[in-house]
Amino acid sequence: MKSVSDFKEQAKSDHIQAPSGFLKVGGFDTSKSFFRINDAVMGGKSSSQLSLAEEGFKFEGIINTNGGGFASFRSLGDEEKLGVPADAQYVVIDATGDGLLYKSSLHTADSWSMFTPTFSHDFKTRTGQREFHRLPLSNFVGSRQGQPVKNTILDPTTLTGVGFGLSLYTMD
């Protein structure tokens, strides 16, 4: 049986450099590498693929609800702050959808930390349509291991990484 640290090292070793301009903060390109992480880390059987596309990434996944329920990708090297200003009010996601519900996540520490909340916001896509999803930072919900954490406040200056995923559960 693999340990969580084995999954972590394996997942992080298979990463893809984001295209220039994929992740911008205050007009500056802070593009990082991204890696996939699925529910196999918890014994699930969901799967996903992450590849480069003309305008960014192409993310495809299948959620297996028997013993799991998520497929995702997130930034590598999320121990360093992104440089988001304190007065930031929203995140804009440019995505062409497939009609499914996705989750955007913001990290304030290593995304594998079990003790630091991850802040998430759901967004619904429309099949075959490119859309800009403007997600207010004030609507991101703090959670640990998928469970909401009460009284968490997102400080934009502490953001270190981002992630996206398909999930069986919404933030509600």
Side-chain angles (χ1 to χ4, degrees), residues 10-46:
Q10 181 180 354
K12 286 186 169 188
S13 70
D14 184 20
H15 60 272
I16 297 175
Q17 177 64 39
S20 179
F22 180 78
L23 180 60
K24 293 181 183 177
V25 176
F28 298 99
D29 186 359
T30 61
S31 294
K32 296 182 168 220
S33 291
F34 284 76
F35 67 97
R36 293 177 302 116
I37 183 70
N38 303 318
D39 59 14
V41 72
M42 303 176 340
K45 295 178 175 48
S46 298

Side-chain angles (χ1 to χ4, degrees), residues 89-156:
Q89 296 181 12
Y90 56 87
V91 171
V92 177
I93 299 169
D94 176 1
T96 301
D98 55 8
L100 297 177
L101 183 72
Y102 286 83
K103 187 179 306 294
S104 173
S105 58
L106 302 174
H107 305 279
T108 59
D110 181 344
S111 60
W112 289 83
S113 172
M114 298 296 203
F115 305 106
T116 305
T118 295
F119 293 85
S120 299
H121 192 301
D122 300 326
F123 63 100
K124 177 98 169 135
T125 63
R126 289 190 274 186
T127 303
Q129 292 189 20
R130 182 176 179 185
E131 297 177 280
F132 290 90
H133 303 271
R134 186 177 171 136
L135 309 178
L137 291 176
S138 60
N139 290 351
F140 277 73
V141 176
S143 67
R144 281 190 205 103
Q145 299 175 335
Q147 300 298 314
V149 177
K150 293 182 181 184
N151 303 319
T152 54
I153 298 171
L154 175 59
D155 174 359

